[in-house]
Amino acid sequence: MSVHTLLLANAAELLTCAPSKGDPLGKILNGAVAMRDGIIVAVGETRDLLARADLEGAERIDCSGKVVAPGYVDSHTHVIFGGSRVREYALRLTRSAEELHSLGIPTGIAASVAMTRAESEAELFASARDRVLAMLRAGTTTIESKSGYGLTTEQELKMLWVSRRLDQDTPLDVISTYLGAHAIPDGIAPEKYVQQIVGEQIPAVVSQGIAEFCDVYVEDGYFDPQQARRILQAASAAGLKLKIHADQYSRLGAAELAAEMGAVSADHLNYTDTNGMEKLAEAGVVGVLMPLIDFAVQHPHPFDVPAMRRAGLTLALATDLCPGGWTESMQLVIQFACRSYGFSLEEAILAATTGGARALGLHDRGQLVPGMLADVQIWNIPTAEDLVYRLGNNSVETVFKRGRWAAGREPQSGRN
Ligand code: ZN
């Protein structure tokens, strides 16, 4: 056989994440997956794949007693940022935001903007790369990465170039989102800043070709729906796909706006009502949920998964890794989604794989089926249920990105 083929065989459970009748995870017992040229070429029971002439001579990796699953797709992160807000986080364990303010300790987005502006592209890349590689070791093979701590044309472009470099210089795929509308920076009137976004930042981002999405933080004290509509219309006209930070702390109609604008995803949705959820579902907008940021900030209003389920909303789970809530682990996100928000194990795994891909408009990953990218993880646990049972565990043993070993234990192989 001239072309190199890799065969992961004997998996106790292989989760295709392609739903079949009565089985949302499309689980194959004693399963196998074959990869060639970065693409999945065959999936099925091990004995069937071993009998196939076209897979003869494949390099075989034994996955006995383990689970094989698609790489996670983490569709909402702020992984690039200067410094850290560890001091704020630690003080907030016992003190109020007002106390920190009176102590003169910078907090929130403004604190991260100052620290991000102060760092060079190389410094931002170095710290973000560490986080991205930790995500990879935790099974994530595709992430979205937002700008939004620059808030000037030059500084937003700096962040997006770091994002581009993360895509090029790490094994993961990094999808870039321009988030100049993350906050109104100090010293500029809101109306003037919206004009700068529409007239200067979006054209600069588009002309450099360094973002696929435009996102807006629609919230009291940030951007109202009218401002958001202008920004999103300009971005859409310039060829960017759309996302919205919607209804995290207030309900201004952001979910309805996401549906009206044809956004790919609406993210957070803590205060979204039934009408908003139904609009999102009708428009095919994916709802992105992030249980760990809500845990990190002790959010007072949990998002309502049963209502979203009733509305027929497609859901994705993401880390929201950011200076205010730092986790690289999609497994921990799944654990919280199941235990605290009423996700079933099957719903949570699908939301972390295919759901994440949908939230990025991607249809070539998130499932183990022939023709998809060979983004695959091996879990050192005997059943999928162990994923939510072993709290705080990193069950990931080995990660393949586009068919190549990318992280974790180097696989020991034999010949087929
Ligand atoms: Zn966010």
Side-chain angles (χ1 to χ4, degrees):
M1 173 129 253
S2 59
V3 187
H4 180 248
T5 305
L6 198 59
L7 182 70
L8 309 188
N10 305 317
E13 296 182 0
L14 184 129
L15 314 179
T16 65
C17 294
S20 59
K21 203 162 175 264
D23 177 13
L25 290 178
K27 189 186 289 184
I28 300 172
L29 303 181
N30 198 7
V33 54
M35 320 186 255
R36 188 186 296 149
D37 290 336
I39 302 292
I40 293 169
V41 293
V43 179
E45 286 188 41
T46 297
R47 58 170 182 203
D48 293 339
L49 264 58
L50 288 178
R52 276 174 58 160
D54 62 327
L55 300 176
E56 211 175 299
E59 183 183 346
R60 197 192 323 175
I61 292 162
D62 180 45
C63 299
S64 298
K66 295 169 187 173
V67 176
V68 172
Y72 296 125
V73 180
D74 188 349
S75 58
H76 186 135
T77 88
H78 304 257
V79 71
I80 301 166
F81 54 84
S84 105
R85 302 216 310 266
V86 61
R87 187 153 173 254
E88 171 191 340
Y89 192 91
L91 287 168
R92 287 284 280 115
L93 297 177
T94 52
R95 299 186 202 206
S96 69
E98 292 69 35
E99 277 181 273
L100 265 65
H101 192 69
S102 67
L103 290 169
I105 294 163
T107 61
I109 294 173
S112 289
V113 168
M115 289 188 282
T116 302
R117 285 178 176 175
E119 289 194 13
S120 69
E121 208 175 296
E123 289 168 323
L124 289 172
F125 173 77
S127 63
R129 180 177 180 273
D130 286 347
R131 293 186 279 272
V132 164
L133 293 178
M135 295 162 115
L136 181 68
R137 291 193 296 274
T140 301
T141 45
T142 298
I143 66 166
E144 183 253 19
S145 159
K146 300 178 193 292
S147 66
Y149 297 122
L151 308 186
T152 66
T153 304
E154 184 192 352
Q155 294 284 344
E156 286 294 304
L157 291 173
K158 178 177 80 174
M159 289 193 71
L160 289 169
W161 280 111
V162 173
S163 193
R164 167 61 60 85
R165 226 184 119 192
L166 290 171
D167 181 50
Q168 290 172 341
D169 294 358
T170 72
L172 292 89
D173 289 326
V174 178
I175 311 294
S176 296
T177 295
Y178 158 69
L179 180 59
H182 198 191
I184 313 276
D186 285 341
I188 182 167
E191 179 53 32
K192 202 140 194 248
Y193 188 59
V194 172
Q195 281 173 17
Q196 187 196 108
I197 287 173
V198 170
E200 192 182 309
Q201 292 191 16
I202 289 173
V205 167
V206 170
S207 76
Q208 301 202 11
I210 47 171
E212 289 183 38
F213 285 90
C214 174
D215 191 348
V216 178
Y217 196 67
V218 180
E219 203 64 67
D220 260 342
Y222 292 82
F223 298 87
D224 66 33
Q226 290 71 33
Q227 294 166 328
R229 184 180 284 107
R230 283 165 58 201
I231 293 166
L232 294 168
Q233 278 171 345
S236 179
L240 296 173
K241 290 174 277 187
L242 309 180
K243 290 179 166 289
I244 300 185
H245 280 70
D247 306 330
Q248 186 181 8
Y249 292 106
S250 55
R251 195 159 65 75
L252 305 179
E256 289 80 355
L257 180 65
E260 174 200 322
M261 297 294 303
V264 176
S265 75
D267 302 34
H268 290 292
L269 308 180
N270 296 70
Y271 288 93
T272 308
D273 65 9
T274 307
N275 178 56
M277 292 175 198
E278 286 170 354
K279 289 250 167 69
L280 290 174
E282 276 166 32
V285 183
V286 178
V288 179
L289 305 177
M290 294 158 283
L292 284 184
I293 190 64
D294 287 7
F295 174 71
V297 303
Q298 293 289 286
H299 198 293
H301 193 101
F303 49 81
D304 186 349
V305 172
M308 292 176 187
R309 195 185 283 129
R310 284 194 297 277
L313 195 54
T314 299
L315 297 178
L317 284 166
T319 58
D320 199 11
L321 169 53
C322 68
W326 185 323
T327 184
E328 290 117 354
S329 170
M330 288 292 282
Q331 181 174 1
L332 195 58
V333 170
I334 288 169
Q335 292 177 344
F336 269 72
C338 289
R339 201 72 275 197
S340 298
Y341 294 89
F343 272 81
S344 70
L345 174 68
E346 291 80 6
E347 285 174 321
I349 291 174
L350 289 177
T353 52
T354 53
R358 295 293 174 276
L360 295 175
L362 299 170
H363 297 270
D364 61 351
R365 66 197 75 191
Q367 295 179 328
L368 301 183
V369 298
M372 292 256 182
L373 292 182
D375 294 357
V376 184
Q377 42 176 341
I378 302 172
W379 297 336
N380 188 19
I381 46 177
T383 73
E385 286 81 2
D386 283 276
L387 191 74
V388 287
Y389 175 54
R390 306 188 189 194
L391 298 176
N393 183 243
N394 180 9
S395 299
V396 175
E397 181 172 277
T398 300
V399 182
F400 296 90
K401 176 62 186 171
R402 293 178 188 255
R404 289 170 183 270
W405 172 55
R409 203 171 74 126
E410 189 169 10
Q412 303 297 312
S413 61
R415 283 285 152 195
N416 196 11

